[in-house]
Amino acid sequence: MANKKRSLTGYQKEENDELWLWDDIPELGMEVGYKIDRLLHYEQSSYQEISIADTRSFGRMLILDGTPQITSKDGFIYNEMISHIALATCPMPENVAMIGGGDCGPAREAMRYESVKRIDVVEIDQRVVDACKIWMTQDSKDNADGRVHLIYRDGYKWIQEQTNVYDILLIDRSDPYGPATSLYKPPFYQYVHDSLTKEGIAVFQAGSPYYSSHILKGTVKNLQRLFPIVLPYTCTVPTFPGGIWCFVLASKKWSPLQADLSRLQWTHSKYINPDLFRASFILPNYIKRLLNE
Ligand code: SAM
């Protein structure tokens, strides 16, 4: 274990000696507790606090600055939903990039598309990827796929050097604090637009529509100024507080609502299928009203 610390954000030993992770959601005046069976890794990197733990309910979990990011039990939902909608909407995706690497789950989903020639994964913090390789997916043969290129840079700076390059860009950003703060700034959306080819599609992780609705709203508003097609969609991630989670798709030409879903690579999947692909764009009224305000 690198840089051992005495206590990490959110971890608490109870009187009965049990270890719990408490994820604080200040917007709701609420904390969600995860019982920790074993703390496997913890360190303070140059960018954030990184820990990996075995939890009682969700299996192995990657935690950054006290916030759960991905788990071995329900991570498939997030990884499939951030990647397949754009990949199946674009008729022939060749160049794919993602900002935010972590355990590289979305890159493994992108590999399922034969037309994809290159997958650039831009991650600010190499320590996260290294820790995930040891503790999260050490057995994954997919990690050796020659199409994947890891780039250890700040995505905000990196994207400013890309013009008209990518068919698909997945913004797998963490919450808007720490190293990910810049990935929510208005100019970032313009840089994403400019880095895409003329038929390009981007997808942004956009948080909870219930307790961080300003993120969803801000993402949609910024993208509507730039793209002709902007569509939020939802999925349910049991690990995340409140369950319901949003992504926003922004496209220059192709709409997922008219996509040929025979392209969707879903035979392996545990969450997405053609019906769910279509249904994920149907929004409850409280989200529709929020976006129309
Ligand atoms: N889906 C991923 C997985 O399978 O593990 C989880 C990715 S996690 C939501 C977000 C990742 O973005 C973290 O690994 C974090 O270090 C990285 N990140 C945060 N800010 C960044 C930035 N400015 N540039 C590039 N990566 C960043």
mmCIF file of all heavy atoms in Angstrom, residues 35-41 51-63 68-75 103 131-139 239:
data_model
loop_
_atom_site.group_PDB
_atom_site.id
_atom_site.type_symbol
_atom_site.label_atom_id
_atom_site.label_comp_id
_atom_site.label_asym_id
_atom_site.label_seq_id
_atom_site.Cartn_x
_atom_site.Cartn_y
_atom_site.Cartn_z
ATOM 1 N N LYS A 35 -21.120 -1.370 4.055
ATOM 2 C CA LYS A 35 -20.326 -2.174 4.989
ATOM 3 C C LYS A 35 -19.090 -2.700 4.261
ATOM 4 O O LYS A 35 -19.200 -3.278 3.180
ATOM 5 C CB LYS A 35 -21.184 -3.335 5.504
ATOM 6 C CG LYS A 35 -20.407 -4.423 6.168
ATOM 7 C CD LYS A 35 -20.578 -4.388 7.672
ATOM 8 C CE LYS A 35 -20.013 -5.628 8.320
ATOM 9 N NZ LYS A 35 -18.628 -5.922 8.023
ATOM 10 N N ILE A 36 -17.927 -2.445 4.860
ATOM 11 C CA ILE A 36 -16.667 -2.861 4.232
ATOM 12 C C ILE A 36 -16.194 -4.162 4.873
ATOM 13 O O ILE A 36 -15.982 -4.217 6.088
ATOM 14 C CB ILE A 36 -15.583 -1.767 4.422
ATOM 15 C CG1 ILE A 36 -16.049 -0.418 3.845
ATOM 16 C CG2 ILE A 36 -14.242 -2.206 3.826
ATOM 17 C CD1 ILE A 36 -16.249 -0.380 2.355
ATOM 18 N N ASP A 37 -16.026 -5.194 4.058
ATOM 19 C CA ASP A 37 -15.481 -6.444 4.590
ATOM 20 C C ASP A 37 -13.961 -6.384 4.656
ATOM 21 O O ASP A 37 -13.350 -6.928 5.569
ATOM 22 C CB ASP A 37 -15.908 -7.636 3.713
ATOM 23 C CG ASP A 37 -17.363 -8.026 3.978
ATOM 24 O OD1 ASP A 37 -17.873 -7.696 5.067
ATOM 25 O OD2 ASP A 37 -17.982 -8.649 3.096
ATOM 26 N N ARG A 38 -13.345 -5.747 3.648
ATOM 27 C CA ARG A 38 -11.881 -5.710 3.610
ATOM 28 C C ARG A 38 -11.422 -4.473 2.834
ATOM 29 O O ARG A 38 -11.898 -4.255 1.701
ATOM 30 C CB ARG A 38 -11.361 -6.973 2.894
ATOM 31 C CG ARG A 38 -9.984 -7.421 3.341
ATOM 32 C CD ARG A 38 -9.807 -8.926 3.085
ATOM 33 N NE ARG A 38 -9.867 -9.246 1.662
ATOM 34 C CZ ARG A 38 -8.796 -9.601 0.929
ATOM 35 N NH1 ARG A 38 -7.602 -9.668 1.476
ATOM 36 N NH2 ARG A 38 -8.929 -9.907 -0.341
ATOM 37 N N LEU A 39 -10.579 -3.700 3.436
ATOM 38 C CA LEU A 39 -9.982 -2.558 2.718
ATOM 39 C C LEU A 39 -8.695 -3.070 2.067
ATOM 40 O O LEU A 39 -7.781 -3.516 2.755
ATOM 41 C CB LEU A 39 -9.691 -1.427 3.697
ATOM 42 C CG LEU A 39 -9.126 -0.138 3.127
ATOM 43 C CD1 LEU A 39 -9.988 0.410 1.998
ATOM 44 C CD2 LEU A 39 -8.987 0.913 4.229
ATOM 45 N N LEU A 40 -8.662 -3.066 0.731
ATOM 46 C CA LEU A 40 -7.565 -3.716 0.012
ATOM 47 C C LEU A 40 -6.447 -2.757 -0.343
ATOM 48 O O LEU A 40 -5.284 -3.133 -0.399
ATOM 49 C CB LEU A 40 -8.104 -4.326 -1.286
ATOM 50 C CG LEU A 40 -9.226 -5.341 -1.109
ATOM 51 C CD1 LEU A 40 -9.976 -5.528 -2.411
ATOM 52 C CD2 LEU A 40 -8.664 -6.661 -0.634
ATOM 53 N N HIS A 41 -6.820 -1.522 -0.628
ATOM 54 C CA HIS A 41 -5.822 -0.567 -1.130
ATOM 55 C C HIS A 41 -6.255 0.826 -0.726
ATOM 56 O O HIS A 41 -7.436 1.153 -0.836
ATOM 57 C CB HIS A 41 -5.780 -0.664 -2.665
ATOM 58 C CG HIS A 41 -4.845 0.313 -3.306
ATOM 59 N ND1 HIS A 41 -3.567 -0.023 -3.688
ATOM 60 C CD2 HIS A 41 -5.000 1.624 -3.618
ATOM 61 C CE1 HIS A 41 -2.971 1.038 -4.220
ATOM 62 N NE2 HIS A 41 -3.821 2.059 -4.190
ATOM 63 N N SER A 51 -9.195 4.469 -2.991
ATOM 64 C CA SER A 51 -9.256 3.231 -2.212
ATOM 65 C C SER A 51 -10.037 2.183 -2.984
ATOM 66 O O SER A 51 -10.876 2.496 -3.845
ATOM 67 C CB SER A 51 -9.846 3.458 -0.823
ATOM 68 O OG SER A 51 -11.156 3.945 -0.908
ATOM 69 N N ILE A 52 -9.729 0.940 -2.685
ATOM 70 C CA ILE A 52 -10.445 -0.203 -3.263
ATOM 71 C C ILE A 52 -10.784 -1.132 -2.109
ATOM 72 O O ILE A 52 -9.924 -1.430 -1.261
ATOM 73 C CB ILE A 52 -9.600 -0.913 -4.334
ATOM 74 C CG1 ILE A 52 -9.359 0.046 -5.516
ATOM 75 C CG2 ILE A 52 -10.282 -2.193 -4.803
ATOM 76 C CD1 ILE A 52 -8.512 -0.488 -6.631
ATOM 77 N N ALA A 53 -12.060 -1.529 -2.029
ATOM 78 C CA ALA A 53 -12.498 -2.318 -0.877
ATOM 79 C C ALA A 53 -13.473 -3.396 -1.319
ATOM 80 O O ALA A 53 -14.164 -3.253 -2.332
ATOM 81 C CB ALA A 53 -13.175 -1.400 0.139
ATOM 82 N N ASP A 54 -13.521 -4.474 -0.544
ATOM 83 C CA ASP A 54 -14.585 -5.468 -0.726
ATOM 84 C C ASP A 54 -15.755 -5.033 0.144
ATOM 85 O O ASP A 54 -15.605 -4.876 1.362
ATOM 86 C CB ASP A 54 -14.096 -6.861 -0.304
ATOM 87 C CG ASP A 54 -13.264 -7.519 -1.387
ATOM 88 O OD1 ASP A 54 -13.431 -7.138 -2.568
ATOM 89 O OD2 ASP A 54 -12.445 -8.394 -1.060
ATOM 90 N N THR A 55 -16.898 -4.810 -0.484
ATOM 91 C CA THR A 55 -18.081 -4.390 0.274
ATOM 92 C C THR A 55 -19.013 -5.589 0.446
ATOM 93 O O THR A 55 -18.983 -6.531 -0.353
ATOM 94 C CB THR A 55 -18.853 -3.274 -0.462
ATOM 95 O OG1 THR A 55 -19.375 -3.803 -1.693
ATOM 96 C CG2 THR A 55 -17.952 -2.086 -0.773
ATOM 97 N N ARG A 56 -19.863 -5.537 1.472
ATOM 98 C CA ARG A 56 -20.790 -6.633 1.725
ATOM 99 C C ARG A 56 -21.828 -6.748 0.608
ATOM 100 O O ARG A 56 -22.155 -7.832 0.164
ATOM 101 C CB ARG A 56 -21.481 -6.383 3.083
ATOM 102 C CG ARG A 56 -22.453 -7.444 3.509
ATOM 103 C CD ARG A 56 -21.767 -8.792 3.754
ATOM 104 N NE ARG A 56 -20.668 -8.758 4.691
ATOM 105 C CZ ARG A 56 -20.755 -8.945 6.010
ATOM 106 N NH1 ARG A 56 -21.945 -9.181 6.535
ATOM 107 N NH2 ARG A 56 -19.683 -8.918 6.770
ATOM 108 N N SER A 57 -22.328 -5.589 0.100
ATOM 109 C CA SER A 57 -23.465 -5.648 -0.829
ATOM 110 C C SER A 57 -23.108 -5.563 -2.298
ATOM 111 O O SER A 57 -23.875 -6.053 -3.133
ATOM 112 C CB SER A 57 -24.468 -4.542 -0.499
ATOM 113 O OG SER A 57 -23.857 -3.510 0.211
ATOM 114 N N PHE A 58 -21.989 -4.933 -2.633
ATOM 115 C CA PHE A 58 -21.719 -4.681 -4.056
ATOM 116 C C PHE A 58 -20.402 -5.273 -4.547
ATOM 117 O O PHE A 58 -19.935 -4.917 -5.612
ATOM 118 C CB PHE A 58 -21.759 -3.178 -4.340
ATOM 119 C CG PHE A 58 -23.131 -2.587 -4.150
ATOM 120 C CD1 PHE A 58 -23.419 -1.789 -3.056
ATOM 121 C CD2 PHE A 58 -24.153 -2.860 -5.051
ATOM 122 C CE1 PHE A 58 -24.686 -1.263 -2.866
ATOM 123 C CE2 PHE A 58 -25.420 -2.337 -4.876
ATOM 124 C CZ PHE A 58 -25.695 -1.539 -3.780
ATOM 125 N N GLY A 59 -19.794 -6.149 -3.773
ATOM 126 C CA GLY A 59 -18.531 -6.734 -4.209
ATOM 127 C C GLY A 59 -17.408 -5.716 -4.129
ATOM 128 O O GLY A 59 -17.428 -4.806 -3.296
ATOM 129 N N ARG A 60 -16.461 -5.840 -5.029
ATOM 130 C CA ARG A 60 -15.284 -4.968 -4.983
ATOM 131 C C ARG A 60 -15.630 -3.575 -5.525
ATOM 132 O O ARG A 60 -16.313 -3.459 -6.553
ATOM 133 C CB ARG A 60 -14.164 -5.597 -5.793
ATOM 134 C CG ARG A 60 -12.819 -5.069 -5.392
ATOM 135 C CD ARG A 60 -11.742 -6.058 -5.696
ATOM 136 N NE ARG A 60 -11.669 -7.125 -4.706
ATOM 137 C CZ ARG A 60 -10.742 -8.069 -4.682
ATOM 138 N NH1 ARG A 60 -9.793 -8.067 -5.588
ATOM 139 N NH2 ARG A 60 -10.742 -8.987 -3.744
ATOM 140 N N MET A 61 -15.161 -2.555 -4.827
ATOM 141 C CA MET A 61 -15.575 -1.184 -5.162
ATOM 142 C C MET A 61 -14.356 -0.264 -5.291
ATOM 143 O O MET A 61 -13.454 -0.316 -4.452
ATOM 144 C CB MET A 61 -16.483 -0.666 -4.034
ATOM 145 C CG MET A 61 -17.043 0.723 -4.230
ATOM 146 S SD MET A 61 -17.993 1.273 -2.757
ATOM 147 C CE MET A 61 -19.601 0.615 -3.079
ATOM 148 N N LEU A 62 -14.345 0.547 -6.355
ATOM 149 C CA LEU A 62 -13.345 1.625 -6.496
ATOM 150 C C LEU A 62 -13.947 2.892 -5.911
ATOM 151 O O LEU A 62 -15.080 3.267 -6.272
ATOM 152 C CB LEU A 62 -13.002 1.844 -7.978
ATOM 153 C CG LEU A 62 -12.231 3.125 -8.313
ATOM 154 C CD1 LEU A 62 -10.804 3.088 -7.740
ATOM 155 C CD2 LEU A 62 -12.166 3.346 -9.831
ATOM 156 N N ILE A 63 -13.211 3.531 -5.000
ATOM 157 C CA ILE A 63 -13.729 4.720 -4.313
ATOM 158 C C ILE A 63 -12.712 5.853 -4.497
ATOM 159 O O ILE A 63 -11.523 5.670 -4.246
ATOM 160 C CB ILE A 63 -13.915 4.410 -2.806
ATOM 161 C CG1 ILE A 63 -14.906 3.239 -2.648
ATOM 162 C CG2 ILE A 63 -14.372 5.635 -2.024
ATOM 163 C CD1 ILE A 63 -14.473 2.204 -1.643
ATOM 164 N N PRO A 68 -18.105 6.257 -4.120
ATOM 165 C CA PRO A 68 -18.055 5.037 -4.929
ATOM 166 C C PRO A 68 -18.093 5.373 -6.415
ATOM 167 O O PRO A 68 -18.876 6.229 -6.845
ATOM 168 C CB PRO A 68 -19.324 4.275 -4.518
ATOM 169 C CG PRO A 68 -19.670 4.815 -3.169
ATOM 170 C CD PRO A 68 -19.248 6.248 -3.177
ATOM 171 N N GLN A 69 -17.246 4.701 -7.216
ATOM 172 C CA GLN A 69 -17.199 4.959 -8.662
ATOM 173 C C GLN A 69 -17.724 3.782 -9.461
ATOM 174 O O GLN A 69 -18.481 3.959 -10.406
ATOM 175 C CB GLN A 69 -15.742 5.238 -9.100
ATOM 176 C CG GLN A 69 -15.066 6.373 -8.388
ATOM 177 C CD GLN A 69 -15.655 7.721 -8.742
ATOM 178 O OE1 GLN A 69 -16.000 7.985 -9.886
ATOM 179 N NE2 GLN A 69 -15.785 8.593 -7.756
ATOM 180 N N ILE A 70 -17.273 2.578 -9.113
ATOM 181 C CA ILE A 70 -17.641 1.402 -9.907
ATOM 182 C C ILE A 70 -17.510 0.183 -8.999
ATOM 183 O O ILE A 70 -16.659 0.181 -8.103
ATOM 184 C CB ILE A 70 -16.715 1.307 -11.161
ATOM 185 C CG1 ILE A 70 -17.304 0.434 -12.258
ATOM 186 C CG2 ILE A 70 -15.311 0.877 -10.814
ATOM 187 C CD1 ILE A 70 -18.212 1.154 -13.189
ATOM 188 N N THR A 71 -18.360 -0.816 -9.207
ATOM 189 C CA THR A 71 -18.245 -2.025 -8.380
ATOM 190 C C THR A 71 -18.254 -3.270 -9.269
ATOM 191 O O THR A 71 -18.724 -3.227 -10.404
ATOM 192 C CB THR A 71 -19.421 -2.163 -7.386
ATOM 193 O OG1 THR A 71 -20.588 -2.532 -8.125
ATOM 194 C CG2 THR A 71 -19.665 -0.907 -6.590
ATOM 195 N N SER A 72 -17.761 -4.362 -8.710
ATOM 196 C CA SER A 72 -17.733 -5.608 -9.499
ATOM 197 C C SER A 72 -19.139 -6.159 -9.686
ATOM 198 O O SER A 72 -19.396 -6.878 -10.633
ATOM 199 C CB SER A 72 -16.829 -6.641 -8.829
ATOM 200 O OG SER A 72 -17.301 -6.926 -7.535
ATOM 201 N N LYS A 73 -20.090 -5.823 -8.805
ATOM 202 C CA LYS A 73 -21.427 -6.420 -8.948
ATOM 203 C C LYS A 73 -22.350 -5.637 -9.883
ATOM 204 O O LYS A 73 -23.094 -6.233 -10.637
ATOM 205 C CB LYS A 73 -22.088 -6.562 -7.571
ATOM 206 C CG LYS A 73 -21.546 -7.755 -6.816
ATOM 207 C CD LYS A 73 -22.576 -8.381 -5.924
ATOM 208 C CE LYS A 73 -22.004 -9.640 -5.291
ATOM 209 N NZ LYS A 73 -22.622 -9.945 -4.015
ATOM 210 N N ASP A 74 -22.340 -4.300 -9.821
ATOM 211 C CA ASP A 74 -23.273 -3.579 -10.698
ATOM 212 C C ASP A 74 -22.582 -2.621 -11.675
ATOM 213 O O ASP A 74 -23.253 -1.878 -12.388
ATOM 214 C CB ASP A 74 -24.368 -2.852 -9.895
ATOM 215 C CG ASP A 74 -23.849 -1.608 -9.166
ATOM 216 O OD1 ASP A 74 -22.631 -1.361 -9.180
ATOM 217 O OD2 ASP A 74 -24.680 -0.888 -8.587
ATOM 218 N N GLY A 75 -21.249 -2.693 -11.762
ATOM 219 C CA GLY A 75 -20.512 -1.799 -12.669
ATOM 220 C C GLY A 75 -20.877 -2.014 -14.128
ATOM 221 O O GLY A 75 -20.739 -1.112 -14.955
ATOM 222 N N ASP A 103 -11.146 1.870 -14.110
ATOM 223 C CA ASP A 103 -10.989 0.447 -14.401
ATOM 224 C C ASP A 103 -11.118 0.156 -15.903
ATOM 225 O O ASP A 103 -11.074 -0.995 -16.327
ATOM 226 C CB ASP A 103 -12.059 -0.327 -13.604
ATOM 227 C CG ASP A 103 -11.828 -1.814 -13.695
ATOM 228 O OD1 ASP A 103 -10.663 -2.228 -13.740
ATOM 229 O OD2 ASP A 103 -12.816 -2.565 -13.733
ATOM 230 N N ALA A 131 -3.955 0.767 -9.728
ATOM 231 C CA ALA A 131 -4.617 0.085 -8.602
ATOM 232 C C ALA A 131 -5.740 -0.823 -9.123
ATOM 233 O O ALA A 131 -5.924 -1.943 -8.638
ATOM 234 C CB ALA A 131 -5.167 1.112 -7.612
ATOM 235 N N CYS A 132 -6.489 -0.345 -10.141
ATOM 236 C CA CYS A 132 -7.573 -1.171 -10.698
ATOM 237 C C CYS A 132 -7.017 -2.420 -11.364
ATOM 238 O O CYS A 132 -7.619 -3.494 -11.284
ATOM 239 C CB CYS A 132 -8.395 -0.371 -11.707
ATOM 240 S SG CYS A 132 -9.462 0.847 -10.935
ATOM 241 N N LYS A 133 -5.876 -2.282 -12.038
ATOM 242 C CA LYS A 133 -5.292 -3.452 -12.707
ATOM 243 C C LYS A 133 -4.946 -4.521 -11.678
ATOM 244 O O LYS A 133 -5.050 -5.713 -11.935
ATOM 245 C CB LYS A 133 -4.030 -3.043 -13.480
ATOM 246 C CG LYS A 133 -4.341 -2.481 -14.855
ATOM 247 C CD LYS A 133 -3.059 -2.238 -15.634
ATOM 248 C CE LYS A 133 -3.347 -1.481 -16.912
ATOM 249 N NZ LYS A 133 -2.170 -0.762 -17.415
ATOM 250 N N ILE A 134 -4.520 -4.109 -10.497
ATOM 251 C CA ILE A 134 -4.152 -5.084 -9.456
ATOM 252 C C ILE A 134 -5.398 -5.678 -8.797
ATOM 253 O O ILE A 134 -5.507 -6.880 -8.613
ATOM 254 C CB ILE A 134 -3.264 -4.418 -8.384
ATOM 255 C CG1 ILE A 134 -1.938 -4.019 -9.013
ATOM 256 C CG2 ILE A 134 -3.039 -5.349 -7.190
ATOM 257 C CD1 ILE A 134 -1.071 -3.130 -8.125
ATOM 258 N N TRP A 135 -6.373 -4.806 -8.476
ATOM 259 C CA TRP A 135 -7.461 -5.265 -7.599
ATOM 260 C C TRP A 135 -8.808 -5.485 -8.280
ATOM 261 O O TRP A 135 -9.638 -6.234 -7.778
ATOM 262 C CB TRP A 135 -7.667 -4.249 -6.461
ATOM 263 C CG TRP A 135 -6.487 -4.156 -5.562
ATOM 264 C CD1 TRP A 135 -5.601 -3.130 -5.483
ATOM 265 C CD2 TRP A 135 -6.056 -5.133 -4.614
ATOM 266 N NE1 TRP A 135 -4.641 -3.395 -4.537
ATOM 267 C CE2 TRP A 135 -4.898 -4.621 -3.990
ATOM 268 C CE3 TRP A 135 -6.531 -6.395 -4.222
ATOM 269 C CZ2 TRP A 135 -4.213 -5.317 -2.997
ATOM 270 C CZ3 TRP A 135 -5.853 -7.091 -3.246
ATOM 271 C CH2 TRP A 135 -4.708 -6.560 -2.644
ATOM 272 N N MET A 136 -9.065 -4.797 -9.396
ATOM 273 C CA MET A 136 -10.416 -4.879 -9.967
ATOM 274 C C MET A 136 -10.505 -5.916 -11.089
ATOM 275 O O MET A 136 -11.341 -6.790 -11.062
ATOM 276 C CB MET A 136 -10.878 -3.519 -10.510
ATOM 277 C CG MET A 136 -10.957 -2.414 -9.474
ATOM 278 S SD MET A 136 -12.257 -2.604 -8.220
ATOM 279 C CE MET A 136 -13.758 -2.273 -9.103
ATOM 280 N N THR A 137 -9.646 -5.799 -12.102
ATOM 281 C CA THR A 137 -9.804 -6.665 -13.286
ATOM 282 C C THR A 137 -8.480 -7.315 -13.661
ATOM 283 O O THR A 137 -8.113 -7.343 -14.820
ATOM 284 C CB THR A 137 -10.327 -5.855 -14.487
ATOM 285 O OG1 THR A 137 -9.717 -4.577 -14.477
ATOM 286 C CG2 THR A 137 -11.819 -5.704 -14.479
ATOM 287 N N GLN A 138 -7.802 -7.854 -12.675
ATOM 288 C CA GLN A 138 -6.476 -8.417 -12.965
ATOM 289 C C GLN A 138 -6.536 -9.591 -13.934
ATOM 290 O O GLN A 138 -5.571 -9.875 -14.633
ATOM 291 C CB GLN A 138 -5.722 -8.799 -11.674
ATOM 292 C CG GLN A 138 -6.300 -9.946 -10.863
ATOM 293 C CD GLN A 138 -7.320 -9.473 -9.837
ATOM 294 O OE1 GLN A 138 -8.245 -8.752 -10.165
ATOM 295 N NE2 GLN A 138 -7.159 -9.886 -8.600
ATOM 296 N N ASP A 139 -7.704 -10.262 -14.028
ATOM 297 C CA ASP A 139 -7.803 -11.444 -14.891
ATOM 298 C C ASP A 139 -8.247 -11.103 -16.308
ATOM 299 O O ASP A 139 -8.326 -11.979 -17.150
ATOM 300 C CB ASP A 139 -8.837 -12.432 -14.318
ATOM 301 C CG ASP A 139 -8.403 -12.927 -12.963
ATOM 302 O OD1 ASP A 139 -7.180 -12.956 -12.729
ATOM 303 O OD2 ASP A 139 -9.277 -13.257 -12.143
ATOM 304 N N THR A 239 -25.731 0.949 -6.785
ATOM 305 C CA THR A 239 -24.698 1.498 -5.887
ATOM 306 C C THR A 239 -24.854 2.986 -5.643
ATOM 307 O O THR A 239 -24.470 3.485 -4.595
ATOM 308 C CB THR A 239 -23.290 1.331 -6.516
ATOM 309 O OG1 THR A 239 -23.198 0.102 -7.168
ATOM 310 C CG2 THR A 239 -22.200 1.487 -5.493
#
